[in-house]
Amino acid sequence: MACLAALALTSLLAACGGGSDEAFEPEAASSTTSADRASVPAESHPVPTAFDATQPASADGDVREAASAVTITANCGLSNFATEALQRINQYRASGASCGSRGSFAAAPALSWDTRLITASTRHSTDMVNKRFFSHTGSDGSSPGTRITRAGYAWRAYGENIAAGQRTVQSAVDGWMKSPGHCANIMNKTYRHVGLACVKGTSASPYPTYWTMDLATPR
């Protein structure tokens, strides 16, 4: 069994979806707050209800890009994790894609790893494993924007995809690309950087793996 959920934010628009291949409609939001509402399959865990769209940035907007061959330690023990993931993500972006109800996206510039987004992704996947939940809202009530800020990334826009149960990079990325909201996050030409983590579940976890992808644009 595998679950997927997506969340995207800019200062003007927010949207969230839950469940594999489930379509959703984005919600309009003010410049300060936005609500996250989605219908999810019975086997999915609840999605968050609200987040603040104006989290303060704790960094000065400096860019800490990582080389494409960066080692990601939260990789579920998969070989060539970082290389395969970035290649697959950027192949989709280079080709353009149809994201179902979200429409068609033209080719977008390649993303590069950012060490702070990798940190934010790793912390959230680890949190989901340790506290046995599946949601964009952290166990401490944090939103993706809060976690990205805590990792030191001063963002102008961000998006997050999460998944649980996928056992390979291909199944995780391809699964997101088959779901409108997740696909739209990956294809969003606004985003410049990405971080990805896969953390293995424990014997008490509902799923064997927990994936988090954070995408962002610096201020």
Side-chain angles (χ1 to χ4, degrees), residues 14-169:
C16 176
S20 178
D21 299 335
E22 179 178 283
F24 68 91
E25 294 299 326
E27 299 175 355
S30 72
S31 61
T32 56
T33 61
S34 135
D36 175 12
R37 302 277 190 269
S39 226
V40 297
E43 70 269 21
S44 294
H45 293 266
V47 296
T49 57
F51 56 87
D52 184 1
T54 56
Q55 298 291 343
S58 60
D60 58 6
D62 61 314
V63 175
R64 302 178 199 171
E65 295 177 348
S68 60
V70 65
T71 298
I72 297 178
T73 55
N75 59 18
C76 285
L78 300 171
S79 60
N80 300 316
F81 181 89
T83 300
E84 181 183 351
L86 196 62
Q87 286 178 348
R88 198 158 196 85
I89 292 165
N90 283 334
Q91 283 172 357
Y92 276 118
R93 285 175 66 88
S95 300
S98 174
C99 295
S101 62
R102 297 299 300 272
S104 296
F105 288 73
L111 297 172
S112 60
W113 293 123
D114 185 277
T115 55
R116 297 159 298 184
L117 296 182
I118 293 171
T119 296
S121 298
T122 300
R123 288 173 178 171
H124 189 54
S125 284
T126 301
D127 187 30
M128 289 193 289
V129 170
N130 290 342
K131 300 300 174 62
R132 291 191 292 173
F133 71 96
F134 181 74
S135 172
H136 291 291
T137 301
S139 63
D140 61 354
S142 62
S143 71
T146 302
R147 295 188 293 271
I148 291 170
T149 297
R150 287 174 182 170
Y153 190 106
W155 51 266
R156 179 167 58 85
Y158 70 77
E160 180 174 89
N161 288 344
I162 58 175
Q166 292 77 6
R167 296 182 182 275
T168 66
V169 168

